Amino acid sequence: MINKVKSRNELADLLGISRKRLTYLLYIKHLENMYTSFEIPKKSGGQRLINAPNKELKLIQRRLANELYEYHTRLNKDKQINGVSQAFEKGKSIFTNAKIHRKKRFIINVDLENFFDNIHFGRVRGYLIKNKDFQLSEEVATVIAQLTCFKGSLPQGAPTSPIISNYICNIFDLRIIKLAKKYKLNYTRYADDLTFSTNEKYFMENWEDFMENLKKEVERAGFHLNEKKTRISYEDSRQEVTGVIVNKKISIKREYYKNTRAMANNLYKTGEFYINGEKGSLNQLEGRFTFINQAECFGKKIIFQQLNGREKEYQKFLFFKYFYANEKPLIVTEGKTDVIYLKAALKKMYRDYPELVTRDDKGGFHYNLSFLKKSMRLKNYLNIQSDGADTMKNIYLYYSKQSNKNYPQYIKEFENIRGSRPQNVVIMLFDNELKEKDRPISKFCKGTVKDEQKVELQDKLHISLETNLFLMVTPLKEGKEISDIEDLFPDEVLNIEIDGKKFTKNDKYDTKENYGKDRFAKYVMKNYGKINFDGFRPLLDKIKFIIMQYKEGDKWEKED
């Protein structure tokens, strides 16, 4: 554990970095040269300065943050403290923070000024040396403070800043809890946002006394109140906690939703939208929709077949982002290991497929296509499951005339609104098992693909389904009637033994004798430079062909 580290070298070992490299970063390269500074707009107006570590330092900080979080979990047995800090805690959010203050007569919102800036290098170092739960050596505490501070304080943008701020604020929270109890107030802290609430009828008689004592405790802890942001709200007015309305239930401002929906409609019509006068991005708009739906769905389960109006708007946006306005050609595979194989093959043969992947001067690879990452969000709102034929079928329903109220024909709607087709293709890739009736590709084709299209699919490996949607199967090995993607590897790779075990493609197997697809995929990615991927060429050639022909607007009347 982090509290057992005795020296800089032991810290390097814990963080998985060579001892020489850590010394070099600290005293030769200097960590302050490993940050990029930029500004982002605040919701309340103005700009927020972000100091983001570079890739190497961020990785080190993440590892350190993980160690600190793990230790924090062991220490955090005091339920009183655990309920106070709502930011940067597992299972906590602005919504759990807001919930505590619902249906209250009075709500007081207080903001700490320059929160992270006031947690300076000396505070971090001193805490790690003096706090009874750490009591680290001066050397180790100094190195951790160096790794986590920028220009003398915790930077907004570093993965370590949140957890360190929570450690340092523990004593502060205890003192504020004691003060809140005196005035019969509920108290929570979300980073620099302090919230108090009560149903005490005569609280306002003690308002000035409470604020005077609060200010003393805040300054005693080395912080300062932003008095311009201190406000009190009453039950007969709109009450907000960390941007969420809490009068009766957790909700968001109606105008926020209306503005977000208007932004989305502008995006669908013109391809762009604006937030506070500045051009917005897809990620920003997705963040707004996510925030709305987190509030709307807080404490309830999402049921795909019962999406309400606001949830349908989110569904529509998600389809637009992933399947109509996808910035790169999108590959949807049956399983997650298929993606690893394809990426490994492209890394090995990047010189032959510059249209699909490029390599930079530092040896990093950049894919010119994307792979659909199955997520809970896509499952809840688009009914795109983790694996199998049903996932592909559900995607197809948003394109097809078979669409119903659960699967609106979004692709046609967007084409009509925009007056243009989608900018990139979507390719659904199956194992070539058309000869087997109970296999995923056969289940997908039933009621979807005509017999003559099946023949074409077997012959050409692909067919066009709708607009930018294409169906594709893996090439067959000579003399075989069916194939899966693993068949594209040479036998010497499929026969590799790991820890004395042999590879099997079966979902169920004897773990004493065999290893499965997940471990095989890890082996492939780790050893891609030594593997012969020639068997993948027909597959990659076909992907390249579909992408290039779509870009050129070809009508798919003939192939090369």
Side-chain angles (χ1 to χ4, degrees):
M1 297 296 289
I2 188 75
N3 65 314
K4 300 296 183 182
V5 173
K6 301 298 182 185
S7 67
R8 183 176 74 231
N9 286 339
E10 286 186 12
L11 181 64
D13 296 341
L14 182 70
L15 300 179
I17 180 175
S18 75
R19 297 176 176 186
K20 287 184 178 180
R21 185 61 181 172
L22 180 57
T23 301
Y24 170 78
L25 295 178
L26 289 169
Y27 305 114
I28 299 176
K29 185 175 179 66
H30 298 295
L31 298 174
E32 288 196 355
N33 297 320
M34 300 177 71
Y35 285 85
T36 300
S37 300
F38 55 92
E39 291 184 334
I40 61 172
K42 294 181 181 179
K43 287 183 179 179
S44 57
Q47 299 292 315
R48 188 186 306 279
L49 179 63
I50 301 297
N51 297 301
N54 70 9
K55 188 175 180 180
E56 182 178 15
L57 180 56
K58 191 173 186 178
L59 177 61
I60 295 170
Q61 289 177 341
R62 273 198 183 132
R63 290 173 178 171
L64 176 56
N66 288 340
E67 293 294 334
L68 290 169
Y69 275 114
E70 185 177 341
Y71 187 47
H72 179 66
T73 300
R74 291 196 180 191
L75 292 174
N76 203 3
K77 296 177 182 178
D78 187 335
K79 293 182 180 180
Q80 195 174 37
I81 291 294
N82 195 35
V84 168
S85 175
Q86 295 288 312
F88 324 124
E89 301 273 2
K90 188 174 181 180
K92 304 290 183 66
S93 69
I94 60 173
F95 303 107
T96 59
N97 183 54
K99 182 182 178 181
I100 293 168
H101 304 286
R102 284 185 309 159
K103 300 180 181 179
K104 295 296 189 290
R105 188 184 296 271
F106 303 107
I107 291 180
I108 303 101
N109 299 104
V110 177
D111 181 78
L112 300 181
E113 198 168 43
N114 301 320
F115 179 65
F116 285 114
D117 289 344
N118 282 311
I119 304 177
H120 52 73
F121 181 94
R123 288 187 75 174
V124 176
R125 180 178 178 275
Y127 176 86
L128 295 172
I129 292 172
K130 297 175 183 178
N131 184 269
K132 65 179 182 179
D133 293 320
F134 283 91
Q135 296 182 327
L136 299 179
S137 68
E138 290 189 4
E139 179 189 35
V140 175
T142 300
V143 172
I144 290 177
Q146 287 175 310
L147 287 171
T148 58
C149 291
F150 174 65
K151 293 185 177 180
S153 60
L154 292 183
Q156 283 202 61
T160 41
S161 295
I163 180 61
I164 290 175
S165 71
N166 275 355
Y167 270 114
I168 288 177
C169 285
N170 274 349
I171 295 175
F172 170 71
D173 284 333
L174 278 173
R175 289 172 179 161
I176 301 300
I177 287 170
K178 187 176 180 181
L179 177 65
K181 281 186 175 181
K182 178 181 176 181
Y183 294 94
K184 299 181 180 179
L185 294 165
N186 298 303
Y187 164 60
T188 61
R189 180 178 58 81
Y190 193 90
D192 56 352
D193 287 321
L194 279 56
T195 305
F196 303 87
S197 64
T198 183
N199 279 322
E200 277 297 303
K201 189 174 182 180
Y202 301 106
F203 168 73
M204 289 306 296
E205 293 178 5
N206 299 310
W207 164 252
E208 290 184 3
D209 187 49
F210 165 70
M211 286 303 299
E212 184 179 338
N213 286 317
L214 176 62
K215 185 177 180 181
K216 286 179 183 177
E217 289 295 350
V218 167
E219 291 178 353
R220 179 185 178 188
F223 297 110
H224 302 282
L225 286 181
N226 187 342
E227 295 187 14
K228 292 180 181 178
K229 291 188 177 181
T230 299
R231 64 188 185 277
I232 184 166
S233 55
Y234 307 89
E235 60 183 338
D236 57 354
S237 64
R238 186 167 69 189
Q239 295 175 313
E240 289 183 47
V241 175
T242 47
V244 180
I245 297 172
V246 295
N247 291 72
K248 293 182 179 179
K249 66 175 184 176
I250 301 295
S251 62
I252 51 97
K253 300 176 189 175
R254 182 173 177 81
E255 54 265 36
Y256 186 89
Y257 169 71
K258 289 177 69 177
N259 289 340
T260 300
R261 188 175 62 181
M263 290 173 190
N265 288 334
N266 285 333
L267 175 66
Y268 303 152
K269 291 176 183 177
T270 67
E272 61 184 24
F273 67 96
Y274 291 84
I275 301 177
N276 298 325
E278 295 187 9
K279 191 173 180 179
S281 68
L282 277 174
N283 287 338
Q284 284 179 298
L285 190 53
E286 182 168 13
R288 291 176 70 97
F289 271 117
T290 301
F291 174 67
I292 291 167
N293 282 277
Q294 283 177 332
E296 292 290 317
C297 304
F298 182 72
K300 81 168 190 176
K301 185 178 180 181
I302 300 294
I303 301 175
F304 172 74
Q305 293 83 359
Q306 298 175 16
L307 298 180
N308 62 32
R310 291 189 176 186
E311 292 162 355
K312 282 282 188 180
E313 289 291 336
Y314 190 28
Q315 178 193 64
K316 184 176 180 179
F317 170 79
L318 289 173
F319 184 87
F320 178 85
K321 178 185 176 182
Y322 286 95
F323 300 101
Y324 182 86
N326 44 312
E327 295 179 352
K328 296 179 180 180
L330 177 67
I331 311 295
V332 187
T333 61
E334 285 187 67
K336 59 184 179 181
T337 54
D338 300 1
V339 175
I340 298 174
Y341 304 150
L342 290 169
K343 286 184 173 181
L346 287 169
K347 287 172 75 169
K348 176 66 179 291
M349 300 187 290
Y350 74 94
R351 290 187 181 90
D352 299 334
Y353 296 95
E355 301 87 355
L356 305 182
V357 63
T358 56
R359 187 180 183 184
D360 60 33
D361 295 337
K362 296 181 180 179
F365 291 93
H366 306 276
Y367 298 101
N368 299 324
L369 40 76
S370 59
F371 300 89
L372 186 66
K373 186 176 181 180
K374 317 291 175 53
S375 66
M376 187 60 67
R377 181 175 63 252
L378 294 183
K379 178 181 178 180
N380 286 340
Y381 291 94
L382 291 172
N383 204 23
I384 294 176
Q385 308 292 326
S386 57
D387 297 307
D390 288 344
T391 284
M392 309 292 202
K393 195 95 171 188
N394 293 343
I395 291 173
Y396 173 72
L397 286 174
Y398 292 101
Y399 285 81
S400 169
K401 291 178 182 178
Q402 301 175 26
S403 300
N404 55 51
K405 66 177 183 178
N406 291 324
Y407 299 91
Q409 202 172 359
Y410 284 136
I411 198 71
K412 296 300 180 186
E413 182 178 348
F414 290 134
E415 286 181 326
N416 292 334
I417 292 172
R418 184 71 67 84
S420 62
R421 67 178 187 166
Q423 55 191 29
N424 279 303
V425 298
V426 175
I427 300 173
M428 299 192 294
L429 176 62
F430 282 90
D431 290 334
N432 195 336
E433 299 166 321
L434 286 161
K435 300 289 185 180
E436 300 281 347
K437 290 184 179 180
D438 61 341
R439 305 308 297 165
I441 181 62
S442 299
K443 291 179 180 178
F444 175 86
C445 288
K446 187 176 181 180
T448 300
V449 177
K450 297 177 182 178
D451 289 340
E452 57 268 27
Q453 287 180 301
K454 290 182 186 178
V455 174
E456 182 183 2
L457 179 61
Q458 189 74 284
D459 181 40
K460 296 182 178 180
L461 301 183
H462 83 276
I463 57 171
S464 172
L465 291 175
E466 299 283 346
T467 314
N468 68 329
L469 185 65
F470 295 86
L471 181 61
M472 186 175 171
V473 293
T474 56
L476 292 173
K477 263 190 172 181
E478 188 175 350
K480 286 190 125 185
E481 289 193 337
I482 62 172
S483 77
D484 53 40
I485 197 166
E486 284 85 9
D487 287 331
L488 304 183
F489 289 100
D491 290 340
E492 59 265 26
V493 175
L494 295 174
N495 293 330
I496 288 288
E497 289 192 12
I498 299 177
D499 297 334
K501 299 177 183 180
K502 295 182 178 180
F503 171 57
T504 178
K505 294 183 282 187
N506 297 328
D507 293 330
K508 295 181 180 180
Y509 56 89
D510 184 350
T511 56
K512 294 180 180 179
E513 300 290 331
N514 302 106
Y515 64 92
K517 291 182 181 181
D518 285 345
R519 195 165 186 186
F520 179 68
K522 289 178 182 177
Y523 170 84
V524 168
M525 184 55 82
K526 184 178 180 179
N527 297 279
Y528 73 88
K530 300 184 293 185
I531 294 175
N532 182 345
F533 284 99
D534 284 345
F536 281 77
R537 287 186 182 276
L539 182 63
L540 297 178
D541 288 340
K542 186 60 63 176
I543 291 174
K544 173 185 167 183
F545 172 80
I546 294 171
I547 292 170
M548 300 307 291
Q549 290 296 305
Y550 185 81
K551 285 182 177 179
E552 293 173 12
D554 194 282
K555 292 186 178 179
W556 302 92
E557 292 178 349
K558 59 182 179 179
E559 289 191 38
D560 292 339

